[in-house]
Amino acid sequence: MPDPPKARLLLAIALVLVCAVALPAAANAGLTQSERKLLHVVNDVRTDYGSRRLHTGSGVQRSAHRWARYLRTHDTFYHGRLRAGTSENIAWVTCRRGWARTITRMWLNSASHRPHLLGGASKMGVGVSTGSWSGYGCVRMAVTRFR
């Protein structure tokens, strides 16, 4: 039987490893399939440009999800009121293949959206709402918030 200090050290190491694997997965667990797809594409672009990958934060995630749904269901399109230190990108495209890459490319090619996309945020929220909007039968309304 290992002596108590070594056993405690092994237990502590095991807990750290479990948390390192489980916490990022748990943070992203509440995302829709579309939100996970956009998060993946945004993170791919960030790493392509030398920025670190981001995980969702619960507060910023909930607000991005709610805002995307609000914009679509209220047939409107404008930036939300944000907490200090939070930036936001919004976009919409019709439902089609490659929609997440199209949106991310639009943000990357925009002088005002690119700094948010590639900046030094520590957390990100991703909202995607799919359905009819402004006379279109199917759109994807996307919101990313960075903090």
Side-chain angles (χ1 to χ4, degrees), residues 10-145:
L10 290 173
L11 179 61
I13 290 170
L15 286 172
V16 167
L17 290 174
V18 167
C19 288
V21 171
L23 288 179
N28 295 339
L31 277 65
T32 67
Q33 183 178 354
S34 295
E35 289 167 347
R36 280 192 298 275
K37 178 178 255 180
L38 185 56
L39 173 66
H40 178 76
V41 171
V42 166
N43 273 326
D44 282 352
V45 167
R46 285 179 59 84
T47 57
D48 288 348
Y49 283 84
S51 298
R52 66 186 172 93
R53 297 179 76 79
L54 296 176
H55 297 286
T56 57
S58 60
V60 72
Q61 174 56 37
R62 277 191 306 274
S63 70
H65 177 84
R66 282 193 307 254
W67 190 243
R69 190 172 199 293
Y70 177 88
L71 291 174
R72 190 186 58 76
T73 60
H74 287 83
D75 215 22
T76 192
F77 189 74
Y78 60 92
H79 287 282
R81 293 181 60 194
L82 302 173
R83 258 178 59 178
T86 303
S87 60
E88 176 182 75
N89 288 343
I90 62 175
W92 70 271
V93 293
T94 57
C95 296
R96 60 178 177 220
R97 291 177 60 96
W99 65 270
R101 294 209 179 278
T102 299
I103 288 173
T104 307
R105 191 176 320 111
M106 290 184 330
W107 289 333
L108 193 58
N109 292 333
S110 165
S112 59
H113 293 89
R114 184 183 178 104
H116 303 163
L117 183 65
L118 301 178
S122 60
K123 298 260 185 243
M124 180 170 57
V126 181
V128 177
S129 182
T130 304
S132 62
W133 177 79
S134 195
Y136 290 90
C138 185
V139 300
R140 296 207 199 281
M141 183 70 65
V143 174
T144 51
R145 290 187 171 174

